[in-house]
Amino acid sequence: MYATGSLRSRFALLIALLAVTLCMLLGGAIYSDSSGRIRQEVGQQLADLSYQMIDRLDRDMANRARMLEVLASLNALRQPDDLQQIRDLLDRMKAEFPSVAWTGYLDAQGNVLASSNGVLQGANIAQRPVFSEGIKGRFVGDVHEALLLAKLLPNPTGEAMKFVDIALPVKAADGRTVGVLGSHLSWAWADEVRRSLMLPQQERNKVEFLVLSRDRSVLLGPPEMIGQHLDLPALDEKQDNFWSVQEWPDQRLYLTGFARSRGNGDYKGLGWTVVTRQQVDLAYAPALEMGRDILIWGAALAVIFAFIGWLMTAYFTRPLRTIAEAADRLSAGEITVIPEVGGSREIQSLSDSIRGMVESLTQQKSELGMMESLALHDALTGLPNRTALKRYLHFAQQQTLAGSGNLALLYLDLDGFKPINDRFGHAVGDQLLREVAIRLRTCLRDGDLVARLGGDEFLMVLRVSGDNAQQLGEQVASRALRVLREPFDLQGVIAEVGCSVGGALWPLDGLELEQVLELADQALYRAKSAGRNRAEFHRQLALPG
């Protein structure tokens, strides 16, 4: 009797250890692999968010500066005979662009001859940078407070008003400087950009972002940090767009994404840096929760199997040993499932239970894979993002090298998207981008990919044969031009956009993939310059849209 009891106890202990070992091996491997992937994907996502924000800020600043240049080239300002006409132009510009807080036309002595809503009209502001710097050439000033102007403008919130200056000289036909056209952009515009791009991420994933000046002062971010000097070690890095784990002044660790201003066109930027952050605990929460689930399931299954093992007799020792050996092979990665073992009903039940445990843990891993998939796709359109594109290009390049085919790389940029976005709002613009994504998918074949690079820019990667690679690329480009030319019905608004395409072939046009991508980008620029709504290929005539 004693010997029988001892055998049962040892058998129960063996089964319990087997279950715990399986859970620890599989759970540890899943958690280690998944936490590393989640850290990489979330970090890259934060870096991409920072890039989208700084790119939007640079584009908007450059567009405002170009808008003033167009206004300054009008004869009404170059020959200021009718000040009322100038006032009407400035008032209309303020009405069309709410982010322009004030615009004034100054004579060569700094007197405000005309201004939007008449604010500061008749005053002399020769000592202000908007005049003293603007009369020398195009001037874009950093964020600052303007106490006098703030008193004269409406301020519903009561918070301190900040502005960004843009100014440039106005030249007569003979080249004389007849005045200065200056404008104050409300810094609240940057917060509007933040809400349009990042509010969903902030609410769903507790992501925070900051805009830093050249001297690392916080221009925009959490209210308690405005004006503070932020000194993070990663800010000394020379990279323009990256991420890292940083300890912040509050002594907490954050996954932190960085993107530095690179300007836009002839606008060189003001040295701003956009920083996005998410607490490490929040970023790793899915992996930690999955690890806890694995441990709970493992503990529960260990108790169940120990009880089953205690009920078994020595008659079942041999088949149980078979199961233990299979578990060892499973932990070593030699097999993926526990094999079915014949014998009594109890042995078969134990075998099925272990199989169910492995399937449950595998399901847990699949769920982590789904979470990883979310980090690889653009939240707005559902298309693969830059990170997914990078992975796919590496895979496609290897597959192409193993065979005899080519990759056709097509850059696509929408024509006429910004006027629709500005006129009907971001909601309609976002819906248009989603519809564009749907149509672009219809242009692809099995094995091809289209990714959203950001804004209204996309990239198609086509696997094409070596004999007719150029022809296949042109066919897909023509198809994309045709489907995007069809009108879009967006919440009752009928919108029309075009598309410009630039294409190149790898490795026919270059041995390095980055070089071929650059050739495709240059071809896109040629398509834009040649009239838009067309496709240009490297070493090939344009395909009209």
Side-chain angles (χ1 to χ4, degrees), residues 125-362:
I125 58 173
Q127 303 303 318
R128 307 267 180 89
V130 73
F131 174 79
S132 60
E133 297 295 332
I135 200 168
K136 301 175 186 177
R138 190 173 79 171
F139 166 70
V140 180
D142 213 334
V143 180
H144 67 92
E145 294 185 8
L147 299 179
L148 178 59
L149 186 61
K151 294 177 181 178
L152 302 176
L153 295 175
N155 185 11
T157 65
E159 299 179 357
M161 299 180 67
K162 295 184 179 181
F163 305 92
V164 177
D165 295 341
I166 302 178
L168 49 89
V170 179
K171 304 285 187 179
D174 57 4
R176 291 181 301 106
T177 300
V178 297
V180 171
L181 183 62
S183 181
H184 288 301
L185 300 182
S186 172
W187 183 234
W189 140 77
D191 197 46
E192 294 174 3
V193 173
R194 187 266 305 174
R195 280 194 288 266
S196 67
L197 290 177
M198 306 185 70
L199 190 58
Q201 287 288 341
Q202 287 179 300
E203 293 179 348
R204 184 171 63 251
N205 297 326
K206 306 299 181 184
V207 173
E208 296 180 310
F209 88 101
L210 302 89
V211 178
L212 308 183
S213 64
R214 190 186 301 273
D215 63 359
R216 302 182 183 177
S217 296
V218 180
L219 301 176
L220 196 64
E224 67 275 8
M225 298 185 67
I226 298 296
Q228 292 186 11
H229 182 79
L230 186 62
D231 191 13
L232 297 177
L235 289 172
D236 296 325
E237 296 284 342
K238 302 302 182 183
Q239 305 177 64
D240 289 335
N241 186 219
F242 62 100
W243 68 273
S244 68
V245 177
Q246 295 285 294
E247 182 178 353
W248 281 62
D250 60 3
Q251 309 302 315
R252 295 180 178 177
L253 290 177
Y254 292 83
L255 273 174
T256 311
F258 301 86
R260 292 188 172 93
S261 170
R262 288 184 267 183
N264 183 269
D266 57 353
Y267 167 66
K268 302 305 180 184
L270 294 174
W272 293 342
T273 301
V274 170
V275 180
T276 56
R277 69 177 189 175
Q278 184 181 28
Q279 287 190 33
V280 168
D281 292 344
L282 292 176
Y284 293 173
L288 292 173
E289 183 177 352
M290 195 65 65
R292 286 194 300 268
D293 290 343
I294 291 173
L295 291 176
I296 292 173
W297 274 102
L301 289 172
V303 172
I304 294 173
F305 293 152
F307 178 71
I308 294 175
W310 185 81
L311 297 177
M312 292 183 175
T313 63
Y315 176 80
F316 302 110
T317 302
R318 183 172 297 177
L320 287 177
R321 201 160 37 238
T322 303
I323 295 177
E325 292 172 356
D328 290 338
R329 294 172 61 198
L330 175 65
S331 64
E334 298 178 8
I335 59 175
T336 58
V337 295
I338 296 290
E340 293 186 7
V341 177
S344 67
R345 215 167 28 181
E346 292 81 2
I347 290 295
Q348 292 180 355
S349 175
L350 178 60
S351 177
D352 293 340
S353 297
I354 296 179
R355 288 167 59 87
M357 179 192 68
V358 175
E359 291 174 359
S360 176
L361 292 174
T362 304

